[in-house]
Amino acid sequence: MKGIGIIGCGKISQVRHIPEYSDNPNARLVGYFDLARERAEQMAAKYGGKVFDTVEDLLADPTIDAVSVCVANNMHADVTIAALKAGKHVLCEKPMATNIEDCERMVAASRQYGRYLMIGQNQRFALAHAQARKLIKEGAIGKVVSFRTTFGHSGPETWSITPGPGTWFFDKKAAVMGVLADLGIHKTDLIQYILDDTITAVTARISTIDKCYADGSPIGVDDNAICIFEMAGGAVGTMTASWTFYGQEDNSTIIYGTEGIIRIYDDPACSLKVIGKDGTVQTLDIDRIQTNDNQTKSGVMDAFIDALEKGVQPPVSGGEVLTAMRAIFGALESSEKGVRVEVNR
Ligand SMILES: NC(=O)c1ccc[n+]([C@@H]2O[C@H](COP(=O)([O-])OP(=O)(O)OC[C@H]3O[C@@H](n4cnc5c(N)ncnc54)[C@H](O)[C@@H]3O)[C@@H](O)[C@H]2O)c1
C-alpha cells in the first residue's frame, strides 16, 4: 500500500489523479496541498485524507511514499526536485518542465535521491497507440516512411479550474509555452513511442494566431505549433498542435509505411485501421481516446502504483521523456531563428 500526496488540486487532479488513486486498492490518499486551500479542502472532504498548510508540510509527512505534481508548468521542476529530495517518488504532469536544464535536473535528482520519476504522458496508455506500436514492430506496414500526428481542440479556456481567457495556460510566466508544450508534447512523446525511434531534427513554426485576452490583445504564448520531425530511422513527418480547432477535436495519428498505412483515432467508428498496400482495410475498435469532456480512466496512476508496489521504475521515466523535451525546445529555437535544428545527436 502506497501513501499518496497530491500537490495541486486543479482540474487534472480532480478528474484523473485523485479518482484513479482512489480506485486503486494499493493507493491511499494521505493528503492534499493547493495554493487555493479550498480546492484541497474539497478533495479531502470528497476522497478522505488531510489538508496540508504548505508543500513542505506535505513532503515532511512520513506516511506519504509518493506524490503527484499537478501545478502550473513553471513549478514542475522545483516541486518535483523538492519531493525527490524529501524521499518521495514523483508522478509529474506534462510538460516535464519549461527548459532543458530543469528537465535534466529532475532526472539527476531522481538518480541522486534514489526515488522514481514518472511523467504523465498518458497518450502512451491509450490502447490503440500501444497496439499500433506492436503492429509496427511486427512489420504490419513495412518500413515507416512518414507520419502525421495531430492534437487540436478549441483551447484550455473551458478546461482549467479557473476558466476563461484569464487562465494561467495563457500566461507566459506560469505556462512559459502554449499549445506546443500543452498538446504538442503529447504527440512528440507519442510518435517516438509508437515508432520506437528518436527525433533528430526539427523545423517548426510556432505562432499566436487567434487567442486573445479579455481586452482583445494576443495571449502571451503560442496557440498553434506546426513541426516537421526527422527521425533517426529515416522517417520524416509532421506534428501539429492547436488550440484553434473550433467545433471538433482532432487527436489522430497516421503512420505511412512501405507496405501500408495505420490510422489511429482518426475515425469515430473505430480506434485503429490498418490499410494494406493493396487497399484492404482491417479495423480494430479497441477503445475511445479521452477528450476534455469525456474523461475515461487513463491508467497512468495504476501503472505508477503497480511499479512502486513491485519496486521497479514506473513506465515513462523522466529520462525517457528528455528526448521529446529536447524536440520541443528545438522546435521553439527553430521557429525563433527560422532554421532547422538538430536534437538528440
Ligand atoms: N496529461 C494531460 O493530458 C493533462 C491535461 C491537463 C493538464 N495537464 C497538466 O497538469 C498541470 C495542471 O493543470 P490543470 O489543468 O490541473 O490546471 P488547473 O488550472 O485546473 O489547476 C492547477 C492547480 O494548481 C494549483 N497551483 C498552482 N501552482 C501551485 C503551487 N506552486 N503549489 C500548489 N498548488 C499550485 C492552482 O491553485 C490550481 O488549483 C499542468 O502542468 C498541465 O499541463 C495535463
Side-chain angles (χ1 to χ4, degrees):
M1 175 72 77
K2 299 294 170 202
I4 301 295
I6 302 288
I7 306 173
C9 300
K11 193 66 177 278
I12 197 66
S13 276
Q14 296 190 11
V15 302
R16 230 177 263 171
H17 289 250
I18 298 170
E20 293 191 25
Y21 285 126
S22 178
D23 278 353
N24 188 307
N26 292 319
R28 185 173 72 87
L29 285 158
V30 176
Y32 314 82
F33 172 68
D34 195 294
L35 292 177
R37 188 183 172 86
E38 69 278 9
R39 283 177 211 144
E41 285 169 352
Q42 282 162 10
M43 293 301 101
K46 186 165 177 188
Y47 293 95
K50 58 185 176 190
V51 176
F52 289 93
D53 293 330
T54 65
V55 71
E56 290 78 16
D57 286 352
L58 184 150
L59 294 178
D61 188 317
T63 67
I64 292 180
D65 301 292
V67 298
S68 269
V69 174
C70 302
V71 300
N73 301 348
N74 64 333
M75 291 304 295
H76 284 190
D78 285 355
V79 174
T80 294
I81 292 167
L84 292 165
K85 193 172 177 185
K88 312 303 181 194
H89 304 292
V90 177
L91 168 55
C92 177
E93 264 303 341
K94 45 55 59 177
M96 186 173 176
T98 55
N99 59 64
I100 195 65
E101 292 76 22
D102 277 354
C103 295
E104 284 166 351
R105 282 197 307 123
M106 290 162 77
V107 174
S110 164
R111 210 174 299 123
Q112 182 181 351
Y113 301 113
R115 293 296 181 271
Y116 296 120
L117 170 61
M118 177 178 182
I119 308 298
Q121 301 292 162
N122 54 287
Q123 291 238 338
R124 291 201 199 185
F125 296 83
L127 297 180
H129 288 150
Q131 181 68 12
R133 176 180 156 103
K134 183 168 171 280
L135 287 170
I136 288 166
K137 261 196 196 313
E138 290 167 359
I141 56 165
K143 183 176 162 52
V144 173
V145 177
S146 180
F147 56 84
R148 193 184 88 194
T149 186
T150 309
F151 196 172
H153 58 49
S154 61
E157 307 95 302
T158 53
W159 160 267
S160 168
I161 206 81
T162 47
T167 170
W168 68 265
F169 281 92
F170 289 170
D171 175 31
K172 179 86 179 164
K173 196 161 162 279
V176 182
M177 297 168 279
V179 74
L180 173 68
D182 182 36
L183 306 184
I185 184 56
H186 277 302
K187 294 304 187 190
T188 302
D189 177 72
L190 180 75
I191 200 66
Q192 295 199 126
Y193 170 73
I194 291 182
L195 302 186
D196 196 12
D197 203 350
T198 308
I199 298 162
T200 53
V202 191
T203 310
R205 183 56 55 96
I206 316 295
S207 334
T208 310
I209 301 173
D210 184 62
K211 292 284 181 198
C212 292
Y213 295 123
D215 68 2
S217 62
I219 60 169
V221 294
D222 50 284
D223 63 15
N224 276 272
I226 298 173
C227 304
I228 300 169
F229 288 153
E230 297 171 45
M231 311 300 291
V236 180
T238 59
M239 190 287 289
T240 297
S242 177
W243 279 340
T244 62
F245 284 11
Y246 300 115
Q248 192 177 34
E249 180 165 328
D250 186 347
N251 208 327
S252 66
T253 296
I254 306 169
I255 315 285
Y256 304 92
T258 50
E259 303 299 321
I261 299 167
I262 294 182
R263 305 184 81 98
I264 316 157
Y265 300 122
D266 180 46
D267 179 343
C270 69
S271 46
L272 196 145
K273 230 183 243 181
V274 184
I275 303 159
K277 203 175 184 174
D278 57 2
T280 52
V281 181
Q282 267 180 280
T283 60
L284 282 161
D285 195 20
I286 310 171
D287 65 349
R288 291 284 173 276
I289 190 88
Q290 291 174 328
T291 66
N292 282 356
D293 302 326
N294 177 28
Q295 288 292 323
T296 50
K297 191 167 192 163
S298 74
V300 171
M301 278 40 82
D302 286 350
F304 185 54
I305 294 296
D306 191 44
L308 296 186
E309 284 289 301
K310 291 182 178 135
V312 300
Q313 168 67 52
V316 206
S317 69
E320 273 177 66
V321 178
L322 279 180
T323 54
M325 292 308 296
R326 287 197 191 100
I328 291 292
F329 300 122
L332 280 174
E333 184 187 341
S334 167
S335 186
E336 272 162 28
K337 297 182 179 164
V339 295
R340 171 179 170 274
V341 173
E342 293 188 346
V343 293
N344 299 318
R345 301 243 175 182

